[in-house]
Amino acid sequence: MAQKIKLSTIADALGVSTATVSLALRDSPLVAGSTRERIKEHARAIGYIYNRRAASLRTSRSGIVGVVVHDIMNPFFAEILRSIETELDRSRQTFILSNHYDQLEKQRTFLDTLLQLGADGVIMSPAIGTPAADIGMAEDNGLPVVLIAREVVGAEVPVFRGNDAFGVGLATDHLISLGHRRIAMVGGTDQTSTGRDRYQGYVAAMERAGIPVDPSWRVAGPRTKLAGFEAAPRFLDIADKPTAAVCWNDLVAIGLMNGLARAGLVPGVDVSVTGYDDLEEASIATPALTTVWNGQREVGRRAARALLDRLNGATVQLPQDLITPELHVRQSTGEPVERS
Amino acid sequence: MAQKIKLSTIADALGVSTATVSLALRDSPLVAGSTRERIKEHARAIGYIYNRRAASLRTSRSGIVGVVVHDIMNPFFAEILRSIETELDRSRQTFILSNHYDQLEKQRTFLDTLLQLGADGVIMSPAIGTPAADIGMAEDNGLPVVLIAREVVGAEVPVFRGNDAFGVGLATDHLISLGHRRIAMVGGTDQTSTGRDRYQGYVAAMERAGIPVDPSWRVAGPRTKLAGFEAAPRFLDIADKPTAAVCWNDLVAIGLMNGLARAGLVPGVDVSVTGYDDLEEASIATPALTTVWNGQREVGRRAARALLDRLNGATVQLPQDLITPELHVRQSTGEPVERS
């Protein structure tokens, strides 16, 4: 009977948060001594029994989930992370983050740290070149893995990401429907599954419209705002002067638009530009950016739910669950204008 | 003698990274079995003795440093975090991050997690309202604390941040020197030491120039790009039409410039705008943003060095080390233009 008393019962009775109750019962020094005593006394009075070791044995959980991505500072991940955090908060999981910057060694060190800590699981956007064996070894050592944004061929764990080929197809189709024929693709790399999918989505849309893709239209590489800005001269130097650019993501698109403006052109008028992700920033850019919503909040929510389900012993469906992107048309795209 | 062999000796001999050697010697499942055996065999052959427990007792260190800020996704922190990470990498410290979103409970839960993990220390931008006792309790429990960006009155730990009052003074002086008299301040809050310092820096500069500050010129609140964008109508509605805006940070400034553009004005011509931080993005904005370099890389570097020095037993100077900001003049400021 006594075990059925919840932390929230104590919290409500004393007008403190459940987190404070939890910390106090674990004798955390972070709760002031007097509050801690008041909480423990009340807990004892109503018959609540807390035993950390017992609780840990009962659940076999540390309450810690790791998240590792190539760059936390990319707002695309920021939006995913917020929704992961919201889900994990609800289950009182603590959330620790790390960057791997696409360095396998850094990713391995973080996974190793999580294993040492007895973390409950990890959500990761795998570094370029992650072998399936790395995922398998984490799993075999009791660290369940859920992937976001990128897949690892051969790894039998859930993957949550958008349908990139379809999404880039939406942007490309939109430009074609406005009358563009010479359409460049700016940014991205073939080294990731996402990069290959997005480029293929662009090529497939062009081919569907009967437009042969000129290899010079690909400005590969940029994935950040600064790189997009710096790519503007390369875009403007392409011999047959494309009238539009399908960009790798919103950051590249906004950087490119700033670079075009610096070159005296009006983005959205002289050159049409599309983004990818529909970051918060896309709608307030000048001009407001036509882009593809990539479901990042949904990716985060589903990934966290899948991990929590696994921790709770539920079976999680493996076939990867592609989120269907949507085109959001704004002011950065219009009819083609020939540059002299 | 044997103990003097370094990981790098083994790494160089086998053509692998020191991180791989370290993981292999700790029997990490993240290193493929064959590689692990090869490394351990070579280590044995040359007489290297690794004993994790002994190593841990010898150093009393877990190799984990926590970093907690109110919002990792703010590029201001991103730039600080990169330089913290660079320093910590050099000392083979693993770096785990968390957000507190200015919620004391979240900050406490993270500190509690670090205590449970036996983390070596924490670098934090303290949540609004952090009592000095929270810092003291972490320290008393063996978790050294270094603060960045904000101070906590009464906490006797190192603080690394810029001289905000001086920095905002530079921006305000610059606008006054261009002929502006009606200068608004957009963004920020009085709830943080930074917020109070920046507002005081603006007021002091105006007073030095003999310009009485009109309370209606303060558009308090915004700290993000979206909030800066949404503040544009409030700025434009101020009765006596200020000709310039000193913004809380670059994000607010860029958001406000986008909002002014949306209202048909040309930022940098019709309204002068200054930022704060000199993020990477400031120089590529349209127009390029006049802003105040806030030394974020320096803040990160010094904070990490101070923590590592403390971990190595060195005495760290307490008096807080204010970094002197610099004004970077670009295209978003010019002579005042009266709006009809």
Side-chain angles (χ1 to χ4, degrees), chain B:
Chain B
M1 284 288 274
Q3 288 300 333
K4 298 239 171 121
I5 295 169
K6 288 180 176 165
L7 293 182
S8 56
T9 312
I10 303 171
D12 291 345
L14 300 178
V16 297
S17 72
T18 52
T20 298
V21 173
S22 163
L23 291 169
L25 293 177
R26 285 181 282 159
D27 273 318
S28 166
L30 295 167
V31 178
S34 57
T35 310
R36 207 157 69 207
E37 283 318 309
R38 196 159 56 93
I39 290 169
K40 290 170 76 175
E41 195 173 304
H42 182 80
R44 270 191 302 271
I46 63 169
Y48 184 89
I49 297 160
Y50 186 88
N51 179 316
R52 181 163 184 76
R53 187 171 299 270
S56 170
L57 285 172
R58 195 169 59 237
T59 65
S60 297
R61 280 163 61 171
S62 62
I64 297 167
V65 167
V67 177
V68 59
V69 299
H70 44 275
D71 188 1
I72 301 175
M73 294 73 171
N74 180 331
F76 167 72
F77 283 117
E79 296 186 4
I80 290 180
L81 292 173
R82 286 224 180 127
S83 64
I84 290 177
E85 205 164 8
T86 303
E87 288 298 323
L88 294 181
D89 269 358
R90 232 173 260 159
S91 302
R92 298 169 191 289
Q93 294 276 332
T94 300
F95 166 97
I96 62 179
L97 294 175
S98 197
N99 282 319
H100 56 57
Y101 298 115
D102 279 319
Q103 294 170 33
L104 273 179
E105 291 297 333
K106 266 185 173 290
Q107 179 173 289
R108 284 174 179 156
T109 301
F110 184 66
L111 289 176
D112 194 58
T113 301
L114 292 176
L115 288 169
Q116 285 176 49
L117 303 182
D120 296 333
V122 62
I123 297 174
M124 54 193 281
S125 169
I128 290 175
T130 299
D134 280 23
I135 310 288
M137 281 187 287
E139 288 262 329
D140 292 346
N141 282 276
L143 188 72
V145 178
V146 168
L147 300 181
I148 51 173
R150 296 173 176 174
E151 61 187 11
V152 170
V153 177
E156 301 201 337
V157 295
V159 183
F160 297 91
R161 61 191 195 98
N163 187 337
D164 289 298
F166 179 80
V168 168
L170 292 176
T172 313
D173 288 347
H174 165 67
L175 291 167
I176 293 169
S177 74
L178 288 167
H180 295 273
R181 310 284 294 174
R182 301 190 313 285
I183 302 170
M185 175 150 186
V186 177
T189 161
D190 271 344
Q191 294 181 283
T192 63
S193 58
T194 318
R196 292 186 293 272
D197 287 354
R198 290 196 190 166
Y199 186 64
Q200 285 313 313
Y202 154 80
V203 169
M206 296 291 271
E207 286 177 352
R208 278 197 305 274
I211 306 170
V213 173
D214 188 308
S216 76
W217 295 346
R218 180 150 203 209
V219 181
R223 290 192 282 169
T224 64
K225 206 176 276 184
L226 184 60
F229 180 81
E230 290 171 345
R234 281 163 67 199
F235 170 80
L236 293 171
D237 278 350
I238 298 172
D240 60 3
K241 299 188 188 298
T243 56
V246 168
C247 293
W248 167 253
N249 61 15
D250 288 356
L251 298 178
V252 170
I254 292 170
L256 180 70
M257 293 203 300
N258 280 318
L260 294 172
R262 198 62 60 90
L265 297 169
V266 181
V269 176
D270 296 322
V271 177
S272 286
V273 176
T274 63
Y276 206 94
D277 288 340
D278 198 16
L279 301 178
E280 190 173 271
E281 187 171 353
S283 63
I284 66 172
T286 305
L289 185 63
T290 295
T291 186
V292 178
W293 173 82
N294 193 15
Q296 41 271 42
R297 275 163 208 264
E298 198 53 25
V299 166
R301 201 186 60 77
R302 291 191 198 180
R305 288 296 340 151
L307 184 62
L308 291 169
D309 286 349
R310 292 192 67 187
L311 297 183
N312 291 327
T315 309
V316 172
Q317 298 293 334
L318 258 199
Q320 74 168 39
D321 197 359
L322 290 183
I323 289 161
T324 303
E326 294 168 12
L327 181 71
H328 291 179
V329 177
R330 299 198 181 98
Q331 303 160 341
S332 68
T333 48
E335 292 180 6
V337 171
E338 295 299 330
R339 281 178 284 135
S340 52

Side-chain angles (χ1 to χ4, degrees), chain A residues 257-291:
Chain A
M257 293 202 300
N258 280 316
L260 295 172
R262 198 62 60 87
L265 297 169
V266 181
V269 177
D270 297 320
V271 177
S272 286
V273 177
T274 63
Y276 205 95
D277 289 341
D278 198 16
L279 301 177
E280 191 174 270
E281 189 172 351
S283 63
I284 66 174
T286 305
L289 184 65
T290 295
T291 185

